[in-house]
Amino acid sequence: NAGVTQTPKFRILKIGQSMTLQCAQDMNHNYMYWYRQDPGMGLKLIYYSVGAGITDKGEVPNGYNVSRSTTEDFPLRLELAAPSQTSVYFCASRPGPYNEQFFGPGTRLTVL
Amino acid sequence: RKEVEQDPGPFNVPEGATVAFNCTYSNSASQSFFWYRQDCRKEPKLLMSVYSSGNEDGRFTAQLNRASQYISLLIRDSKLSDSATYLCVVNRDDKIIFGKGTRLHILP
């Protein structure tokens, strides 16, 4: 199993550009999550999904969108990138609500 | 009051020493508990699950105290490679709540 994979590993965007961060898992997990982590800070939940076709906002959803058309994939879309979105983005998954999460290696995004 | 609280540290501990962290949670309906480890600029990785009966994995021991609403992590015979941030994680229904983490520096 590859576990949770994320692409790209690094990206530099200009202000106003858009991009999609990809996340995939091959563990057949129902629950998937997107977090951002700013330097020296804790994880902040952006969006999450409890199954294909179901998504919900976390604590910092503004400026982002998600979709979950399959169990495996949970892409995060940034529209109109801003410097405040410079961060490390982690995707995670877990089988159910009481289980541990498994994290991807992260995408380091810089918006200039 | 935050739902999950940890002492941010840093804890500076000599190699070979024993160190303990606590994490408190405010919601008594919380259902499952974990410790994660995060190295600088890396993803969090599961260290161990935490049960009321206590559980041990090598040099690491975790304990849950539901009455006082805290979980603990004990590291014995600390190694330089234990230097990291340790995250306390609490599950309640569909919510998963991370503490801000405790930084540990093991000194040679």
Side-chain angles (χ1 to χ4, degrees), chain A residues 21-99:
Chain A
L21 282 66
Q22 301 291 346
C23 174
Q25 52 91 10
D26 60 359
M27 299 175 281
N28 201 33
H29 287 173
N30 287 321
Y31 288 63
M32 296 188 75
Y33 302 81
W34 274 107
Y35 296 91
R36 61 176 286 174
Q37 187 173 36
D38 299 330
M41 305 295 284
L43 294 164
K44 291 186 179 177
L45 182 64
I46 306 171
Y47 271 95
Y48 69 101
S49 168
V50 300
I54 306 168
T55 62
D56 212 343
K57 295 178 181 179
E59 60 180 303
V60 289
N62 291 345
Y64 307 95
N65 276 300
V66 293
S67 59
R68 183 98 183 269
S69 55
T70 66
T71 299
E72 293 78 21
D73 299 296
F74 191 40
L76 178 72
R77 177 87 178 155
L78 275 74
E79 304 282 1
L80 298 174
S84 60
Q85 293 177 305
T86 293
S87 192
V88 180
Y89 291 83
F90 291 109
C91 179
S93 73
R94 61 179 179 169
Y98 309 126
N99 302 108

